[in-house]
Amino acid sequence: MRVKAGNDAGLPCTTEEELLQNPAIRPEDVLGLQNITENYLCSPEDNVHKIDFTRFKIRDMETGTVLFEITKPPSADSAEDRKDIDPNAGRFVRYQFTPAFLRLRKVGATVEFTVGDIPINNFRMIERHYFRGQLLKSFDFEFGFCIPSSKNTCEHIYEFPPLSEDLIHEMILHPYETQSDSFYFVDNKLVMHNKADYSYTGGT
């Protein structure tokens, strides 16, 4: 058995191929991943709690400056129209920040989301950021209890590790090679998986 070093030292290493064979994926499974995933590890149909992220905002905690904000527009599509929509639409986001973002130490991410008619007792997100196959940081957040048919808002604080000037330079030179997997669990079972990539060339 291989064991990870670094952020999740002591956990067995896992591969995407192994996890795709599992009937259910648990938090410790994704914490053992060594690289960004190429595929989604669950289907949209696994979101039985009907969790829907409707607003997202990122701000610099030191200055309060809003760095990114997006609100999901209300859907006016009919059931017939929705049949033609890519089921993975909305699961991927491409961010473009300025180079200064890489020197921020603490960022607040506010999320607003709705849930369906099933209460959620244990809602957890694990988000893992990579650059060219190197794990930069793994974040682990709890959302708390969500009552049925509710709209919820919370802010998670991201504390970024200091990056070397050489690494910052490489991340700026290679846009969208910084990538992240966001895994969402209810009662320790994977129910949602979103992906993102990042460029730090904005304003240049």
Side-chain angles (χ1 to χ4, degrees):
M1 175 187 295
R2 293 187 302 141
V3 174
K4 284 194 67 172
N7 283 354
D8 306 303
L11 287 173
C13 291
T14 55
T15 67
E16 178 177 350
E17 291 73 20
E18 290 170 346
L19 298 191
L20 286 170
Q21 302 303 313
N22 290 355
I25 295 174
R26 303 176 65 82
E28 56 267 28
D29 296 327
V30 302
L31 288 170
L33 288 168
Q34 302 294 286
N35 293 292
I36 195 76
T37 59
E38 295 183 8
N39 303 286
Y40 292 101
L41 300 189
C42 64
S43 72
E45 290 72 31
D46 289 319
N47 182 16
V48 296
H49 296 81
K50 297 184 172 137
I51 300 161
D52 186 20
F53 292 99
T54 55
R55 181 170 167 267
F56 184 61
K57 179 178 75 174
I58 300 174
R59 69 185 180 106
D60 178 1
M61 293 297 293
E62 292 187 3
T63 66
T65 301
V66 175
L67 306 168
F68 178 86
E69 187 167 14
I70 188 170
T71 300
K72 182 178 180 180
S75 174
D77 297 331
S78 66
E80 190 66 31
D81 292 334
R82 286 194 291 270
K83 290 180 182 177
D84 299 325
I85 295 176
D86 180 353
N88 289 324
R91 302 177 81 187
F92 173 80
V93 178
R94 170 158 283 185
Y95 294 99
Q96 187 168 63
F97 296 116
T98 67
F101 188 92
L102 292 170
R103 292 181 170 84
L104 297 179
R105 296 278 67 85
K106 190 179 291 187
V107 166
T110 299
V111 291
E112 181 181 276
F113 62 97
T114 59
V115 299
D117 56 6
I118 303 173
I120 300 177
N121 293 299
N122 180 15
F123 185 22
R124 176 181 178 186
M125 177 185 76
I126 295 173
E127 186 170 288
R128 294 169 71 78
H129 290 249
Y130 300 86
F131 174 66
R132 292 187 149 190
Q134 173 189 348
L135 179 66
L136 299 174
K137 181 72 174 180
S138 186
F139 300 94
D140 198 331
F141 298 118
E142 298 280 351
F143 287 90
F145 175 74
C146 303
I147 64 174
S149 304
S150 62
K151 178 183 286 187
N152 306 271
T153 303
C154 66
E155 183 175 54
H156 292 139
I157 307 303
Y158 289 75
E159 296 190 16
F160 296 138
L163 304 175
S164 70
E165 289 300 316
D166 287 345
L167 182 55
I168 288 174
H169 181 68
E170 288 297 308
M171 292 170 72
I172 294 169
L173 280 181
H174 299 94
Y176 308 118
E177 292 191 43
T178 305
Q179 301 167 293
S180 67
D181 281 310
S182 297
F183 304 101
Y184 299 88
F185 299 86
V186 173
D187 293 331
N188 291 320
K189 179 181 178 181
L190 184 68
V191 297
M192 296 177 71
H193 178 193
N194 294 339
K195 301 173 73 66
D197 62 15
Y198 307 81
S199 168
Y200 303 100
T201 58
T204 61

